[in-house]
Amino acid sequence: TFLSVSIITSTLTTKTRQLDKLRLENEKIRMRADLLRSVSHDIRTPLTSILGYMELIHDNPELPEETRQKYAGIALRKANRMLSLVEELFEVTRFKIGRIELERTNISAEMLILQLTEELMPLLRRKNIEISVDNQGVFDIFVDPDKMARALDNILVNAANYTPEGEKIMVTLDKYADRSRIRIANTGMDIPQEKLDRFFEKFYRADEARQSGTGGSGLGLAIAKNIIEAHGGSITVSNANKITTFTIIC
């Protein structure tokens, strides 16, 4: 009887492992299908535009050189955007299915934020945006510096893009329980909860009037979320009194 129970237990364990492996494979297949749908979703428009401009150049040899250069320049910009988009798609998918490898070390959270804000200065100055960093007791964080920098940069760029001219971005670092908390808040617009709930979806933009040519790929926040979660952290977004706040726990 004991032997029979052992055999049954062993068989059930084997079957469970097989099912887990099958579920993982199905998840990978689903992710690849999502990737293909995402690619076709967002590159169709620039591809159509590229083909249109190239056909104009090809079919109208009498075009003035200035016009020809203008059309070629537009097509080149669209092509570069497509390349960047596809690279980001593969990156966000790689992070999503857990292939991201972290090389963690202790780094200063404040210095990381200050470095990223310094790199954003051209955009901040162009829009006359003021940025402040208030450290309330966060020192080192144990993260992969390059990947966490990518995540925080995506959030800061998003904040800068959606902050009106002359307004502010506020970064606050403090402790939450036994972990570090980074809050990035920007003034802007009132955002309903149904839109906030979709902020981390691939290709989603809260401002629907903003087109992909001016508003980024719509992948930045999805990538940031995947990186932060790969560290065992979390990211949430809230909005009150026209202030949007991203809260990162790491």
Side-chain angles (χ1 to χ4, degrees):
T1 302
F2 178 75
L3 184 59
S4 298
V5 171
S6 298
I7 292 173
I8 292 172
T9 302
S10 176
T11 301
L12 288 174
T13 301
T14 301
K15 292 295 183 183
T16 300
R17 289 173 179 169
Q18 290 174 344
L19 286 172
D20 288 342
K21 184 177 180 180
L22 182 59
R23 277 194 289 267
L24 180 59
E25 290 301 320
N26 286 337
E27 175 66 11
K28 290 180 179 179
I29 291 171
R30 187 187 65 79
M31 290 299 301
R32 293 189 189 102
D34 286 347
L35 174 61
L36 291 174
R37 281 194 294 270
S38 296
V39 170
S40 62
H41 172 277
D42 218 50
I43 70 173
R44 185 180 293 113
T45 298
L47 180 58
T48 301
S49 180
I50 292 168
L51 291 172
Y53 281 110
M54 296 309 295
E55 286 176 0
L56 282 171
I57 294 172
H58 180 269
D59 296 342
N60 297 277
E62 73 284 356
L63 279 175
E65 184 60 26
E66 182 179 351
T67 303
R68 183 182 297 275
Q69 289 293 328
K70 177 183 176 181
Y71 289 170
I74 294 172
L76 180 60
R77 287 195 297 275
K78 297 285 186 180
N80 284 329
R81 168 162 174 72
M82 283 178 58
L83 176 61
S84 175
L85 174 62
V86 170
E87 289 174 344
E88 284 195 311
L89 275 166
F90 278 108
E91 185 172 14
V92 73
T93 302
R94 177 170 58 87
F95 289 165
K96 190 71 176 178
I97 61 179
R99 294 180 184 172
I100 181 172
E101 294 182 2
L102 301 177
E103 296 182 9
R104 293 178 182 250
T105 187
N106 285 311
I107 61 169
S108 166
E110 183 175 4
M111 290 303 297
L112 179 59
I113 292 290
L114 290 174
Q115 177 184 334
L116 294 172
T117 57
E118 183 67 26
E119 294 170 0
L120 271 179
M121 275 305 163
L123 174 58
L124 299 175
R125 286 173 179 164
R126 188 164 63 248
K127 297 183 67 176
N128 191 28
I129 294 172
E130 178 185 343
I131 187 165
S132 65
V133 180
D134 180 17
N135 189 347
Q136 300 179 4
V138 173
F139 300 103
D140 287 351
I141 51 177
F142 188 57
V143 297
D144 183 308
D146 291 337
K147 293 181 176 66
M148 186 57 71
R150 172 72 185 275
L152 294 174
D153 184 61
N154 286 354
I155 298 165
L156 287 167
V157 168
N158 179 84
N161 283 336
Y162 284 91
T163 300
E165 291 190 12
E167 295 291 342
K168 296 181 179 180
I169 297 174
M170 297 144 287
V171 183
T172 305
L173 298 89
D174 62 8
K175 288 294 185 180
Y176 180 81
D178 61 343
R179 308 194 75 181
S180 297
R181 178 168 61 182
I182 302 170
R183 285 176 288 180
I184 300 172
N186 67 284
T187 52
M189 58 184 178
D190 289 322
I191 303 174
Q193 188 60 45
E194 58 267 24
K195 289 191 175 184
L196 290 175
D197 291 341
R198 300 186 60 194
F199 255 45
F200 301 105
E201 293 180 12
K202 295 188 292 293
F203 302 112
Y204 184 73
R205 298 177 185 88
D207 185 352
E208 294 173 0
R210 210 177 178 131
Q211 298 302 314
S212 60
T214 57
S217 67
L219 289 169
L221 294 181
I223 290 172
K225 182 175 187 289
N226 289 329
I227 291 173
I228 291 165
E229 289 182 349
H231 282 81
S234 66
I235 178 170
T236 56
V237 61
S238 59
N239 179 274
N241 302 318
K242 296 187 177 181
I243 296 177
T244 301
T245 303
F246 290 91
T247 301
I248 301 105
I249 306 294
C250 59

